[in-house]
Amino acid sequence: MRDFSHDHSMLALNTATLGHNLEGHGAGWSPEQVIEACAERGLGGITFWRREIGRRAIEIGDRVRGAGMQVAGLCRTPFLTGPLAPPNRQAIIDDFKASIEMAHELGAPVLTIVTGGVIEGSHSITESLSRVQELVAAMAPVAADANVVLALEPLNPVYGGNRSCLVTVRDAIDMCQAIGADNVQIAIDVYHVWWDTSLAAELKRAGKGRIAGYHLCDWLADTTDVQLDRGMMGDGVADLRQIRAAVEATGYDGYCEVEIFSAANWWKRPPGEVLDTIVERFRAVC
Ligand code: ZN
């Protein structure tokens, strides 16, 4: 397992942690301000959200690399199923392709997939997962041509209804194996897997080269909002070292990406303070 106690070159910021320009949240920093602040503190990478990039993917990607960092990833594809997905299959495919194109232009090696919830009226998580699998399999070659890895991110089961019918690492690995494309992998996020005592065994089953991202935060014991009250590493109940050990046992040597949605706490603080805290906690408790 890597020792980060004196080294945060593999620390990446997911801009969600600063409010990622969500209406009414965060400090509203431009991508340029975020890049400069991360570079100043010696972070290694940044993962952006599409809403921040707009038509400036090439420019922003170059700016990140010019500052001595890498673009770690891009969030995310459209929802593929459920009540929040675009209205029809063609609209989903079009937006999926647009997200792949943006990742390519940005130089982001990884595009995250949040699957979307259960198909409306179906009452079937199985049917929903089949729909996801079919769409991801169809898009895998398009992503491969763009040098983009598609990362299926299983979400905490609390999101099963509307945001992600994919809620276990087990199902994510099964889907990867069923699709069988090298560029379809999984992302492991502490917020979504901290409770899962089968994590290490499942990741072992996945084998080498199946993890495309590792996302850090913490689960607050007294959390007040399952979407926007994530904890800073060290403030919650997740066994961060054990989870990272399970991830790295697969050979994963990529970024540790801090992704904290926190409307009532961290998004209200100055971004510089948030970034300083991230560096300190990463070295101390992750
Ligand atoms: Zn995540």
Side-chain angles (χ1 to χ4, degrees):
M1 187 167 156
R2 294 175 288 178
D3 177 9
F4 293 129
S5 56
H6 301 287
D7 173 13
H8 60 276
S9 57
M10 290 311 289
L11 172 62
L13 175 77
N14 183 305
T15 60
T17 308
L18 303 182
H20 62 332
N21 297 334
L22 265 188
E23 213 61 55
H25 289 294
W29 272 15
S30 66
E32 284 79 1
Q33 285 172 289
V34 174
I35 292 164
E36 192 183 332
C38 287
E40 262 173 22
R41 289 168 175 79
L43 273 72
I46 304 179
T47 290
F48 292 97
W49 287 69
R50 287 168 70 190
R51 65 170 65 86
E52 302 166 281
I53 302 298
R55 295 177 173 277
R56 300 200 297 141
I58 293 172
E59 180 191 340
I60 291 170
D62 286 346
R63 183 107 178 191
V64 171
R65 288 178 287 276
M69 298 179 292
Q70 297 296 322
V71 177
L74 178 68
C75 295
R76 58 179 172 67
T77 63
F79 291 117
L80 309 179
T81 52
L84 304 174
N88 57 59
R89 183 186 168 83
Q90 193 56 50
I92 291 168
I93 295 278
D94 288 348
D95 196 48
F96 204 140
K97 286 181 175 170
S99 65
I100 291 170
E101 177 69 18
M102 182 182 285
H104 176 72
E105 289 185 357
L106 194 58
V110 177
L111 173 65
T112 302
I113 299 173
V114 175
T115 65
V118 172
I119 296 169
E120 285 177 290
S122 77
H123 302 279
S124 173
I125 201 158
T126 311
E127 184 186 337
S128 307
L129 286 168
S130 297
R131 173 91 55 91
V132 168
Q133 184 174 313
E134 183 267 315
L135 283 161
V136 174
M139 288 295 102
V142 179
D145 284 346
N147 285 320
V148 170
V149 168
L150 300 174
L152 286 162
E153 183 165 349
L155 261 51
N156 192 299
V158 295
Y159 298 111
N162 62 353
R163 303 184 83 81
S164 179
C165 57
L166 188 68
V167 295
T168 62
V169 172
R170 177 197 64 212
D171 287 345
I173 292 168
D174 285 348
M175 193 178 291
C176 274
Q177 292 182 341
I179 293 171
D182 288 344
N183 71 322
V184 176
Q185 302 181 15
I186 62 174
I188 299 296
D189 186 319
V190 166
Y191 198 73
H192 304 310
V193 307
W194 71 273
W195 54 272
D196 188 351
T197 52
S198 71
L199 179 68
E202 284 298 328
L203 292 182
K204 197 168 181 184
R205 179 170 74 88
K208 302 280 179 200
R210 275 292 177 207
I211 298 184
Y214 175 53
H215 305 169
L216 278 169
C217 67
D218 212 332
W219 181 277
L220 298 174
D222 56 351
T223 189
T224 56
D225 181 330
V226 294
Q227 196 181 347
L228 299 180
D229 187 34
R230 291 188 182 204
M232 177 64 67
M233 297 85 73
D235 288 347
V237 296
D239 191 338
L240 298 173
R241 288 257 160 80
Q242 193 174 70
I243 295 169
R244 185 161 69 84
V247 167
E248 294 189 3
T250 68
Y252 180 77
D253 61 0
Y255 288 113
C256 300
E257 174 185 321
V258 175
E259 183 182 28
I260 302 174
F261 298 77
S262 173
N265 184 0
W266 296 99
W267 287 358
K268 289 192 183 307
R269 303 196 193 197
E273 179 194 330
V274 177
L275 290 170
D276 289 340
T277 307
I278 285 169
V279 170
E280 179 195 316
R281 298 291 181 89
F282 179 67
R283 288 178 164 223
V285 302
C286 294

